[in-house]
Amino acid sequence: MSAPHESGTFAGLRGQLQEAAATFAGGPDALEGILLGMVDDVDRAVREPLEIFPVCHHSPASATAMARRLREKQPKVVYLELCEDMAPLLTELRNCRLPVAVQAFAGDVDGFPRDWAPLSVVAPITEASAEYQAIAYALDTPGVELVLVDRSADHVFQWDTGGEQAREDAAEGTDPPAEAALHGEAVGVELGDLRPRFAELEEHLLRHGRVRHWSEWWHQYVEVPLGDSAADHDTYRQVMLLVGSLFRRLAPGDGARVRVDEDRERYMWTRMREHLTATGTDPADCLYVCGAFHAVSRVEEFGVHGSTDTFTISPRTATTWQYGLIPSSHAAIEAQFGLAAGSVSIASTEWVKSLKRTRVQPYRLAGQAGTKKSPAKKALAKKASAAKARGSEATAPAPESAAADRLSGFLRRPPVLDGLDEAELLGWSVDIVRAARRNGYLASTADAIAVFETSVLLAGMRDRAKPTPYDFQDAAVTCIEKDAVPGRRDVRRLVEIMMGGDRIGQVGYEALPPLARDVHDRLAPLGMKLQQRGVQRALLDMASRPELQTCSDVLWMLRRLMPHGAARPIMGERRLGERSIQESWDLALGTHQRALIELGYEGVSIEQVLEQRLRRDAYGPQATTATVLAAVEDATLYLRSRRLADELGTHALKVLATERSVDGAPEVLRRVRGLLAYYRTSEPVLPQWIESFVKTGYAHYCTLLPVAFRDEDATVGQVAAMLGFLFSMENLALSLGCDRAQLELAVAQSHPEEPSKTALLWAAQVQLGTLSRAELRGRCDALLDNPLVVPAYPRYLSGFVHALEPVPGLADVVVEAVSNAFGRLPDAVLLPWLPLLITTLRSGAAELAPLLIREAGRIFPGRLAALDAWIPPWRMPPVPPATRRTRSGGHDRRGAALLPAHPATCDAVAELLGCTQGWTPADVPPPSGVGLLAAHPATCDAVADLLGCDGAWTASGSAPWGAALTSRHPATAKALESLLTST
């Protein structure tokens, strides 16, 4: 670093500051060092051969000064403080409506902690910003080169923990509005971060400036003076350098942040010297645009003649970065960079007013969306372009001499008293009252007058000749907002909207990634403006327009991939084996454009992105069997890919074999049932993987069943799901070679202690046949008879209700158990645990309650009058076997007595079936079972062949008809008995 200059341009200012330091501090001390050091910083930056242009982030004064300086200097090279790897995207800004943000995105990281992924860096750009003026000038002016010199997006995360800190801040804060969340959790790169880093200094400035936040102080004491038409380039530059030096020298000793700032400055000066050496460009023809904080850097590498061998740029990591443009908004910029709400909107309004006042012609990219040019401005722009095309030598200004001291005069000059613009303030007052009325406030003309007068009063109390937008905002809140906010917006928000509102940018079709353009092309048959913000209704009738089936497929995939609300189905559904012929959708792709663009970073089509995400979910370290089965279902449902479904299903088999808990049993049961039903109805044979899954799952859950019954962490719903898998898949598992004895042993080894699991075990024993229904009813009665067990009876009922999942045939027993409790228990016992019963059933078995209610509706009488005389089926006395009434011949008549009693019915059935034999005479006895076997031997032989039984015919008439089949085919009878016992 060079020594401070004791004489020269700022010699007079140094002397004045020395006298001031001696007067206020009583002699030389740290104050004198700070004041003289600030002057040295300004002097050093002004003397640099490569002109440094200090700016502030999204400052209208900086943008106006930048546009003015570019037209005066006409530099050939513009160095810009922006991530160097974002340069190729800047040409796409002309296809967008500002504000937008340039984004660098990395979904997969290599060289960073994996929990940081995805990495995202954004640099928002608005029209009222100096960086946009520089970009527009360089891209639309022939012969001008734009060079980005700041660290790359990869170095942002190498040098800083911004990614981790941003996520921590997002987790601690409240959810921002949708407009404020357009940048997501991206790390912001701002050009010109000019804000005190010394908390006490900022508090001092706000208190003595009579303002509420930093944005208001900057507007009042920097924007307004520098935005005046009388402020020339030298004054602007020296004042911004002085402010940057003040904040830099009073910054606290945050070593990590200071180190990053200095490394960025070394990086930028190294890149600029490399470019100057490679191209041979004269530094006088260049312009370096950077934040005022970095413009007064004191690193050794500062300047074109700084040290060249003291800093080495580290290589990038192996992380693959992708780049694109995403929509931004004023609210998103304010939220990301800690600005006051509405400050960027107010700055945009001040930018328009500044252009009218100073008559500065701004730069805009040719074809920029959202901008209009008057015919006079178009003609002037054509003349300027033609003059630049004739040669830069003719328009280049003469070399400038060293700038004079403008700081002394600016610091001694009293504040310019801008007269009150009554017409503007009256317009604001009328507009805010009108907006308040539309939003439910009881505002009147008197309120408009009160707002006007209060604004003037507040400005006077704060030593201002003219009310600022912030004064007017405070006055409007004071005069209009009374007790409560009647609508969705308060008065402060209404003022922000009136001052310009939250402008939301849009990325044009040409600037979208290939995936986003492909989505728009495939949804073109809908005939909708998909780039438009807001919700639009799409109606799809695939029956009359089959080409809309492709649109339906795209919408269902977008619903799976994008945030909620981007594509929301209103009518129609997509399930396994089901497709809608008519659908209705609410689409908001324009509102969620950022999410659609970020999908383009993952692939070139939504099918590719969906397949990648399904694989990532299935093969992730936290993947469970239920997660993999969900991926199988989505692959079948959205991609119709049998290849991917088989691959993921095979992986689900491996994951199931490694699981040692039953947490996902309910989800596994639900998804396996759905997949089995789908494959059985749509495929000729079951896939190999699902057969193996059922076989492995049967043995797996049989092994875990005794442990789950005793495990306190395993819920009764999870154990019921395990039993549901075992019982519902039993037939398929046994056909694949599983042994039923394994399930019987698992149930026999289960000894639960919790009442709900005990009831569940009883239900499983009933299903296996080791416990009869009569014994189960007896156990339930015993529970009600035991006063010590009655308080826990609701938990037993909860277990019985959960048992309806694996054993739905017990619904009548469960209804009986509940009814007995209400009928037998006295009110003194019943009423205390009735709320517990209701809450237990609601929380633990809400999805099974409909089955219980249907069974109760079947058992109980349908009319209230019949309830008094109704006797529950479980209280009916057992009916003895009815005495058989036989004819004279000993033949059993049974139901045959109904036939002669109602011959019309039998005649109608016979006519329907085409039987013409007529009625058998009354004196002819009906055929017995033995007669049927003898009359139709082929039927009995077919049953025997189906069951694989061999046997010989017995002697005719040697057994009664009920035993005829047994005597003829004893092996068949034995097989049937075994089959009936197993089911």
Side-chain angles (χ1 to χ4, degrees), residues 592-619:
H592 296 84
Q593 192 181 51
R594 168 181 165 266
L596 181 61
I597 291 173
E598 290 188 348
L599 283 182
Y601 299 149
E602 302 182 43
V604 296
S605 67
I606 52 178
E607 288 84 0
Q608 179 186 2
V609 173
L610 181 55
E611 181 172 345
Q612 290 176 355
R613 290 197 179 183
L614 292 178
R615 291 181 186 274
R616 184 175 61 197
D617 294 342
Y619 291 94

mmCIF file of all heavy atoms in Angstrom, residues 592-619:
data_model
loop_
_atom_site.group_PDB
_atom_site.id
_atom_site.type_symbol
_atom_site.label_atom_id
_atom_site.label_comp_id
_atom_site.label_asym_id
_atom_site.label_seq_id
_atom_site.Cartn_x
_atom_site.Cartn_y
_atom_site.Cartn_z
ATOM 1 N N HIS A 592 -44.980 -19.951 -10.824
ATOM 2 C CA HIS A 592 -43.927 -20.856 -10.364
ATOM 3 C C HIS A 592 -42.880 -21.061 -11.456
ATOM 4 O O HIS A 592 -42.352 -22.162 -11.633
ATOM 5 C CB HIS A 592 -44.521 -22.198 -9.950
ATOM 6 C CG HIS A 592 -45.445 -22.117 -8.775
ATOM 7 N ND1 HIS A 592 -46.778 -21.778 -8.904
ATOM 8 C CD2 HIS A 592 -45.243 -22.301 -7.449
ATOM 9 C CE1 HIS A 592 -47.348 -21.777 -7.712
ATOM 10 N NE2 HIS A 592 -46.446 -22.095 -6.810
ATOM 11 N N GLN A 593 -42.560 -19.978 -12.174
ATOM 12 C CA GLN A 593 -41.604 -20.111 -13.262
ATOM 13 C C GLN A 593 -40.223 -20.506 -12.765
ATOM 14 O O GLN A 593 -39.501 -21.245 -13.441
ATOM 15 C CB GLN A 593 -41.530 -18.794 -14.046
ATOM 16 C CG GLN A 593 -40.793 -18.907 -15.365
ATOM 17 C CD GLN A 593 -40.732 -17.581 -16.102
ATOM 18 O OE1 GLN A 593 -40.336 -16.570 -15.525
ATOM 19 N NE2 GLN A 593 -41.133 -17.578 -17.365
ATOM 20 N N ARG A 594 -39.859 -20.012 -11.594
ATOM 21 C CA ARG A 594 -38.536 -20.363 -11.065
ATOM 22 C C ARG A 594 -38.404 -21.862 -10.862
ATOM 23 O O ARG A 594 -37.378 -22.467 -11.205
ATOM 24 C CB ARG A 594 -38.289 -19.643 -9.748
ATOM 25 C CG ARG A 594 -37.080 -20.160 -8.985
ATOM 26 C CD ARG A 594 -36.880 -19.424 -7.674
ATOM 27 N NE ARG A 594 -35.971 -20.142 -6.814
ATOM 28 C CZ ARG A 594 -36.342 -21.008 -5.879
ATOM 29 N NH1 ARG A 594 -37.635 -21.237 -5.708
ATOM 30 N NH2 ARG A 594 -35.461 -21.631 -5.136
ATOM 31 N N ALA A 595 -39.438 -22.510 -10.308
ATOM 32 C CA ALA A 595 -39.375 -23.951 -10.081
ATOM 33 C C ALA A 595 -39.273 -24.710 -11.397
ATOM 34 O O ALA A 595 -38.546 -25.708 -11.498
ATOM 35 C CB ALA A 595 -40.604 -24.406 -9.299
ATOM 36 N N LEU A 596 -39.972 -24.234 -12.430
ATOM 37 C CA LEU A 596 -39.896 -24.889 -13.733
ATOM 38 C C LEU A 596 -38.513 -24.729 -14.343
ATOM 39 O O LEU A 596 -37.970 -25.664 -14.953
ATOM 40 C CB LEU A 596 -40.967 -24.309 -14.661
ATOM 41 C CG LEU A 596 -41.046 -24.913 -16.070
ATOM 42 C CD1 LEU A 596 -41.371 -26.391 -15.992
ATOM 43 C CD2 LEU A 596 -42.083 -24.181 -16.905
ATOM 44 N N ILE A 597 -37.917 -23.553 -14.167
ATOM 45 C CA ILE A 597 -36.568 -23.329 -14.700
ATOM 46 C C ILE A 597 -35.559 -24.218 -13.990
ATOM 47 O O ILE A 597 -34.662 -24.798 -14.621
ATOM 48 C CB ILE A 597 -36.203 -21.843 -14.572
ATOM 49 C CG1 ILE A 597 -37.062 -21.001 -15.526
ATOM 50 C CG2 ILE A 597 -34.727 -21.607 -14.854
ATOM 51 C CD1 ILE A 597 -36.892 -19.512 -15.340
ATOM 52 N N GLU A 598 -35.689 -24.357 -12.685
ATOM 53 C CA GLU A 598 -34.733 -25.183 -11.955
ATOM 54 C C GLU A 598 -34.890 -26.660 -12.285
ATOM 55 O O GLU A 598 -33.943 -27.437 -12.128
ATOM 56 C CB GLU A 598 -34.879 -24.950 -10.453
ATOM 57 C CG GLU A 598 -34.401 -23.563 -10.028
ATOM 58 C CD GLU A 598 -34.366 -23.388 -8.529
ATOM 59 O OE1 GLU A 598 -34.919 -24.264 -7.826
ATOM 60 O OE2 GLU A 598 -33.787 -22.393 -8.057
ATOM 61 N N LEU A 599 -36.074 -27.077 -12.759
ATOM 62 C CA LEU A 599 -36.185 -28.437 -13.276
ATOM 63 C C LEU A 599 -35.285 -28.629 -14.492
ATOM 64 O O LEU A 599 -34.755 -29.723 -14.717
ATOM 65 C CB LEU A 599 -37.642 -28.746 -13.665
ATOM 66 C CG LEU A 599 -38.630 -29.042 -12.552
ATOM 67 C CD1 LEU A 599 -39.991 -29.359 -13.147
ATOM 68 C CD2 LEU A 599 -38.161 -30.191 -11.688
ATOM 69 N N GLY A 600 -35.125 -27.556 -15.278
ATOM 70 C CA GLY A 600 -34.268 -27.643 -16.448
ATOM 71 C C GLY A 600 -32.806 -27.848 -16.121
ATOM 72 O O GLY A 600 -32.026 -28.264 -16.993
ATOM 73 N N TYR A 601 -32.413 -27.569 -14.888
ATOM 74 C CA TYR A 601 -31.030 -27.834 -14.495
ATOM 75 C C TYR A 601 -30.783 -29.324 -14.263
ATOM 76 O O TYR A 601 -29.636 -29.761 -14.202
ATOM 77 C CB TYR A 601 -30.680 -27.077 -13.213
ATOM 78 C CG TYR A 601 -30.777 -25.573 -13.321
ATOM 79 C CD1 TYR A 601 -31.131 -24.795 -12.230
ATOM 80 C CD2 TYR A 601 -30.528 -24.922 -14.535
ATOM 81 C CE1 TYR A 601 -31.225 -23.414 -12.319
ATOM 82 C CE2 TYR A 601 -30.633 -23.547 -14.635
ATOM 83 C CZ TYR A 601 -30.980 -22.803 -13.530
ATOM 84 O OH TYR A 601 -31.070 -21.439 -13.636
ATOM 85 N N GLU A 602 -31.849 -30.105 -14.117
ATOM 86 C CA GLU A 602 -31.698 -31.523 -13.799
ATOM 87 C C GLU A 602 -31.786 -32.418 -15.021
ATOM 88 O O GLU A 602 -31.418 -33.594 -14.935
ATOM 89 C CB GLU A 602 -32.764 -31.932 -12.782
ATOM 90 C CG GLU A 602 -32.729 -31.132 -11.486
ATOM 91 C CD GLU A 602 -33.773 -31.605 -10.503
ATOM 92 O OE1 GLU A 602 -33.942 -32.832 -10.355
ATOM 93 O OE2 GLU A 602 -34.432 -30.752 -9.874
ATOM 94 N N GLY A 603 -32.297 -31.928 -16.126
ATOM 95 C CA GLY A 603 -32.403 -32.755 -17.318
ATOM 96 C C GLY A 603 -33.005 -31.977 -18.455
ATOM 97 O O GLY A 603 -33.343 -30.790 -18.335
ATOM 98 N N VAL A 604 -33.145 -32.649 -19.591
ATOM 99 C CA VAL A 604 -33.674 -31.995 -20.793
ATOM 100 C C VAL A 604 -35.141 -32.308 -21.008
ATOM 101 O O VAL A 604 -35.761 -31.753 -21.915
ATOM 102 C CB VAL A 604 -32.862 -32.417 -22.037
ATOM 103 C CG1 VAL A 604 -31.432 -31.937 -21.925
ATOM 104 C CG2 VAL A 604 -32.891 -33.931 -22.223
ATOM 105 N N SER A 605 -35.725 -33.193 -20.225
ATOM 106 C CA SER A 605 -37.148 -33.502 -20.328
ATOM 107 C C SER A 605 -37.654 -33.852 -18.940
ATOM 108 O O SER A 605 -36.897 -34.310 -18.063
ATOM 109 C CB SER A 605 -37.405 -34.658 -21.297
ATOM 110 O OG SER A 605 -36.870 -35.864 -20.794
ATOM 111 N N ILE A 606 -38.951 -33.694 -18.736
ATOM 112 C CA ILE A 606 -39.506 -33.977 -17.424
ATOM 113 C C ILE A 606 -39.493 -35.480 -17.143
ATOM 114 O O ILE A 606 -39.410 -35.894 -15.984
ATOM 115 C CB ILE A 606 -40.932 -33.406 -17.291
ATOM 116 C CG1 ILE A 606 -41.818 -33.856 -18.452
ATOM 117 C CG2 ILE A 606 -40.900 -31.910 -17.196
ATOM 118 C CD1 ILE A 606 -43.236 -33.365 -18.340
ATOM 119 N N GLU A 607 -39.561 -36.307 -18.191
ATOM 120 C CA GLU A 607 -39.449 -37.742 -17.969
ATOM 121 C C GLU A 607 -38.076 -38.103 -17.403
ATOM 122 O O GLU A 607 -37.960 -38.928 -16.485
ATOM 123 C CB GLU A 607 -39.697 -38.506 -19.268
ATOM 124 C CG GLU A 607 -41.129 -38.514 -19.739
ATOM 125 C CD GLU A 607 -41.495 -37.267 -20.533
ATOM 126 O OE1 GLU A 607 -40.621 -36.407 -20.716
ATOM 127 O OE2 GLU A 607 -42.650 -37.157 -20.973
ATOM 128 N N GLN A 608 -37.039 -37.487 -17.944
ATOM 129 C CA GLN A 608 -35.697 -37.758 -17.440
ATOM 130 C C GLN A 608 -35.541 -37.285 -16.002
ATOM 131 O O GLN A 608 -34.968 -37.982 -15.160
ATOM 132 C CB GLN A 608 -34.661 -37.080 -18.337
ATOM 133 C CG GLN A 608 -33.232 -37.285 -17.887
ATOM 134 C CD GLN A 608 -32.239 -36.479 -18.698
ATOM 135 O OE1 GLN A 608 -32.623 -35.724 -19.585
ATOM 136 N NE2 GLN A 608 -30.963 -36.629 -18.393
ATOM 137 N N VAL A 609 -36.069 -36.111 -15.708
ATOM 138 C CA VAL A 609 -35.961 -35.581 -14.349
ATOM 139 C C VAL A 609 -36.729 -36.464 -13.373
ATOM 140 O O VAL A 609 -36.250 -36.774 -12.270
ATOM 141 C CB VAL A 609 -36.475 -34.130 -14.293
ATOM 142 C CG1 VAL A 609 -36.527 -33.632 -12.867
ATOM 143 C CG2 VAL A 609 -35.593 -33.233 -15.145
ATOM 144 N N LEU A 610 -37.921 -36.903 -13.762
ATOM 145 C CA LEU A 610 -38.716 -37.755 -12.871
ATOM 146 C C LEU A 610 -38.019 -39.083 -12.623
ATOM 147 O O LEU A 610 -37.984 -39.581 -11.484
ATOM 148 C CB LEU A 610 -40.099 -37.981 -13.479
ATOM 149 C CG LEU A 610 -41.068 -38.842 -12.658
ATOM 150 C CD1 LEU A 610 -41.245 -38.284 -11.263
ATOM 151 C CD2 LEU A 610 -42.410 -38.966 -13.359
ATOM 152 N N GLU A 611 -37.434 -39.669 -13.659
ATOM 153 C CA GLU A 611 -36.715 -40.931 -13.467
ATOM 154 C C GLU A 611 -35.514 -40.743 -12.546
ATOM 155 O O GLU A 611 -35.244 -41.571 -11.678
ATOM 156 C CB GLU A 611 -36.268 -41.491 -14.818
ATOM 157 C CG GLU A 611 -35.546 -42.816 -14.701
ATOM 158 C CD GLU A 611 -35.273 -43.462 -16.048
ATOM 159 O OE1 GLU A 611 -35.894 -43.017 -17.050
ATOM 160 O OE2 GLU A 611 -34.450 -44.386 -16.103
ATOM 161 N N GLN A 612 -34.788 -39.645 -12.714
ATOM 162 C CA GLN A 612 -33.645 -39.381 -11.842
ATOM 163 C C GLN A 612 -34.086 -39.220 -10.394
ATOM 164 O O GLN A 612 -33.437 -39.731 -9.472
ATOM 165 C CB GLN A 612 -32.906 -38.133 -12.318
ATOM 166 C CG GLN A 612 -32.166 -38.307 -13.632
ATOM 167 C CD GLN A 612 -31.538 -37.010 -14.108
ATOM 168 O OE1 GLN A 612 -31.727 -35.959 -13.506
ATOM 169 N NE2 GLN A 612 -30.798 -37.072 -15.201
ATOM 170 N N ARG A 613 -35.178 -38.514 -10.180
ATOM 171 C CA ARG A 613 -35.648 -38.302 -8.803
ATOM 172 C C ARG A 613 -36.150 -39.604 -8.185
ATOM 173 O O ARG A 613 -35.945 -39.857 -6.990
ATOM 174 C CB ARG A 613 -36.748 -37.248 -8.786
ATOM 175 C CG ARG A 613 -36.242 -35.852 -9.087
ATOM 176 C CD ARG A 613 -37.254 -34.816 -8.664
ATOM 177 N NE ARG A 613 -36.781 -33.462 -8.925
ATOM 178 C CZ ARG A 613 -37.467 -32.367 -8.593
ATOM 179 N NH1 ARG A 613 -38.643 -32.482 -7.996
ATOM 180 N NH2 ARG A 613 -36.994 -31.169 -8.855
ATOM 181 N N LEU A 614 -36.814 -40.438 -8.989
ATOM 182 C CA LEU A 614 -37.272 -41.717 -8.455
ATOM 183 C C LEU A 614 -36.093 -42.590 -8.064
ATOM 184 O O LEU A 614 -36.111 -43.255 -7.019
ATOM 185 C CB LEU A 614 -38.153 -42.429 -9.490
ATOM 186 C CG LEU A 614 -39.510 -41.786 -9.789
ATOM 187 C CD1 LEU A 614 -40.247 -42.570 -10.863
ATOM 188 C CD2 LEU A 614 -40.355 -41.669 -8.542
ATOM 189 N N ARG A 615 -35.061 -42.601 -8.888
ATOM 190 C CA ARG A 615 -33.868 -43.372 -8.536
ATOM 191 C C ARG A 615 -33.199 -42.805 -7.289
ATOM 192 O O ARG A 615 -32.735 -43.554 -6.424
ATOM 193 C CB ARG A 615 -32.881 -43.365 -9.700
ATOM 194 C CG ARG A 615 -33.337 -44.149 -10.925
ATOM 195 C CD ARG A 615 -32.260 -44.095 -12.010
ATOM 196 N NE ARG A 615 -32.717 -44.714 -13.228
ATOM 197 C CZ ARG A 615 -32.639 -46.016 -13.487
ATOM 198 N NH1 ARG A 615 -32.112 -46.820 -12.572
ATOM 199 N NH2 ARG A 615 -33.068 -46.505 -14.623
ATOM 200 N N ARG A 616 -33.140 -41.484 -7.211
ATOM 201 C CA ARG A 616 -32.507 -40.863 -6.049
ATOM 202 C C ARG A 616 -33.269 -41.183 -4.776
ATOM 203 O O ARG A 616 -32.670 -41.457 -3.727
ATOM 204 C CB ARG A 616 -32.432 -39.353 -6.263
ATOM 205 C CG ARG A 616 -31.702 -38.597 -5.163
ATOM 206 C CD ARG A 616 -31.582 -37.140 -5.538
ATOM 207 N NE ARG A 616 -32.885 -36.524 -5.709
ATOM 208 C CZ ARG A 616 -33.094 -35.374 -6.344
ATOM 209 N NH1 ARG A 616 -32.080 -34.724 -6.859
ATOM 210 N NH2 ARG A 616 -34.312 -34.889 -6.463
ATOM 211 N N ASP A 617 -34.601 -41.169 -4.850
ATOM 212 C CA ASP A 617 -35.390 -41.510 -3.665
ATOM 213 C C ASP A 617 -35.225 -42.988 -3.290
ATOM 214 O O ASP A 617 -35.150 -43.329 -2.105
ATOM 215 C CB ASP A 617 -36.867 -41.199 -3.912
ATOM 216 C CG ASP A 617 -37.126 -39.710 -4.083
ATOM 217 O OD1 ASP A 617 -36.260 -38.915 -3.680
ATOM 218 O OD2 ASP A 617 -38.178 -39.347 -4.650
ATOM 219 N N ALA A 618 -35.185 -43.846 -4.296
ATOM 220 C CA ALA A 618 -35.136 -45.276 -4.025
ATOM 221 C C ALA A 618 -33.769 -45.726 -3.536
ATOM 222 O O ALA A 618 -33.669 -46.625 -2.681
ATOM 223 C CB ALA A 618 -35.531 -46.067 -5.276
ATOM 224 N N TYR A 619 -32.713 -45.123 -4.054
ATOM 225 C CA TYR A 619 -31.361 -45.552 -3.703
ATOM 226 C C TYR A 619 -30.704 -44.639 -2.664
ATOM 227 O O TYR A 619 -29.516 -44.770 -2.405
ATOM 228 C CB TYR A 619 -30.483 -45.600 -4.951
ATOM 229 C CG TYR A 619 -30.857 -46.713 -5.918
ATOM 230 C CD1 TYR A 619 -31.724 -46.467 -6.977
ATOM 231 C CD2 TYR A 619 -30.360 -47.990 -5.749
ATOM 232 C CE1 TYR A 619 -32.076 -47.487 -7.857
ATOM 233 C CE2 TYR A 619 -30.703 -49.017 -6.629
ATOM 234 C CZ TYR A 619 -31.569 -48.754 -7.683
ATOM 235 O OH TYR A 619 -31.904 -49.764 -8.547
#
